[in-house]
Amino acid sequence: MKLSLLLSLTALLLGGCASQQALIDRRIERNPLGFQALSPKEQSLARSGNIAVGMPKAGVEIAWGRPSRRSEGQSGSSRVERWVYTRDEPVFTGLSGGFHGGFGRRFGYYGVSVGPEIIYLPTQVAEVEFKNSRVDSWNAVRR
């Protein structure tokens, strides 16, 4: 029992890694010119899902995907663009329940249910700031 549970968890984790790599590979297929324009070091970073200061927008989009939100501004004489990445996180808001009942074809049914009430809220997990279309700074939540 314990061995099968351990094997299942291992497969799930490896599957998650494989699916992340598949997403990156698809982004490279969708933007081959953007990927080829990256330096060899930037290509390696993007393939592994990482970014670095100085990387162009195409590299960030290949590594992390499209942002949830974009904003623009000015800092000194430089144009600044900020990309924000979010993920829906479950939030426990309490218990909910109620009495329910009705009649079927042959029998009536009644019951009471109580369960957790969970909503999903967008939570910021990363942010990238570009100056002159290159990464100037970035931060990401550690997991």
Side-chain angles (χ1 to χ4, degrees):
M1 175 70 177
K2 289 181 183 179
L3 180 59
S4 65
L5 180 62
L6 180 62
L7 290 174
S8 297
L9 289 173
T10 303
L12 183 65
L13 289 172
L14 291 176
C17 295
S19 64
Q20 181 65 23
Q21 191 58 53
L23 286 172
I24 292 170
D25 290 342
R26 254 186 272 143
R27 291 183 205 129
I28 292 170
E29 289 172 12
R30 275 191 253 136
N31 189 1
L33 296 177
F35 184 73
Q36 291 169 3
L38 300 174
S39 71
K41 181 181 178 183
E42 291 169 338
Q43 286 181 358
S44 177
L45 284 168
R47 272 193 193 281
S48 64
N50 295 304
I51 67 171
V53 171
M55 184 180 264
K57 291 178 188 178
V60 175
E61 193 163 331
I62 288 168
W64 287 4
R66 291 189 175 154
S68 306
R69 211 170 50 244
R70 297 176 195 225
S71 61
E72 295 181 6
Q74 192 78 21
S75 177
S77 61
S78 299
R79 183 178 161 272
V80 177
E81 186 172 349
R82 180 172 287 132
W83 289 6
V84 174
Y85 291 84
T86 61
R87 176 179 30 235
D88 287 342
E89 296 284 342
V91 176
F92 175 75
T93 59
L95 294 175
S96 65
F99 177 78
H100 51 87
F103 292 99
R105 285 185 145 182
R106 294 182 149 188
F107 304 103
Y109 62 91
Y110 299 94
V112 175
S113 64
V114 176
E117 187 172 321
I118 298 172
I119 61 172
Y120 290 84
L121 296 176
T123 303
Q124 183 173 323
V125 293
E127 181 178 87
V128 182
E129 189 170 290
F130 297 92
K131 282 189 182 170
N132 300 318
S133 297
R134 297 220 170 244
V135 174
D136 183 60
S137 64
W138 64 272
N139 62 65
V141 174
R142 280 190 175 176
R143 291 237 165 221

